[in-house]
Amino acid sequence: MEQTSLPGIGVRHDFVTEAGRRLGVVSHRDGRRALIVYDRDDPDARLAAIPLTDDEAEALADLLGASLMLGQLAGLRDQAAGLLTEQIALPASSPFVGRPLGDTRARTRTSASIVATLRAAQVIPSPGPDFRFESGDVVVAVGTRKSLDALTRILADNDPDG
């Protein structure tokens, strides 16, 4: 990652991908951002400067972050025998919709760990006990097959106190 100060404009961050492509982001002092794609044959020539609104920049960061996090979790699954990563959709009928994660007592009851929540296009890593679930959330959890099955039952159960 290379950072270049652009006097009167802002800051440019550039990096080169493993495939040799140079990309960058210009962050203007007034808050505007642009994604820069450079020419493969001339790294000083840009092919495109794509302006991004705050929402677009956040969505792109979320998309890249979500795929990176899920890829890392998948790699962890491969490294740890018996440890699985699973995405569990929170049913609209779940007694935990609108309630904090701590109310599930998931780790205590199942030994599974909730490591992230996917909400729309947003990744919420390491949600704390005060994090409130919403209908449509997808919980990313790590545990054994038995503990993940138990967590799925708890999240769907109509008797949340078990």
Side-chain angles (χ1 to χ4, degrees), residues 141-162:
V142 175
T144 63
R145 174 78 276 139
K146 182 179 175 181
S147 66
L148 293 171
D149 289 346
L151 177 59
T152 300
R153 284 191 302 276
I154 287 169
L155 293 176
D157 195 352
N158 289 324
D159 179 16
D161 298 320

Side-chain angles (χ1 to χ4, degrees), residues 28-92:
H28 294 261
R29 290 174 35 183
D30 64 6
R32 292 179 296 132
R33 283 178 217 80
L35 177 64
I36 309 297
V37 179
Y38 294 96
D39 187 314
R40 181 185 300 265
D41 298 323
D42 181 359
D44 293 325
R46 71 178 189 200
L47 292 176
I50 304 163
L52 299 172
T53 66
D54 288 346
D55 288 342
E56 293 165 339
E58 185 176 333
L60 182 59
D62 287 343
L63 287 171
L64 294 172
S67 64
L68 179 62
M69 175 181 277
L70 292 175
Q72 289 171 341
L73 290 172
L76 175 63
R77 178 183 58 218
D78 294 340
Q79 294 173 10
L83 193 61
L84 304 170
T85 303
E86 194 159 283
Q87 295 182 36
I88 304 167
L90 189 70

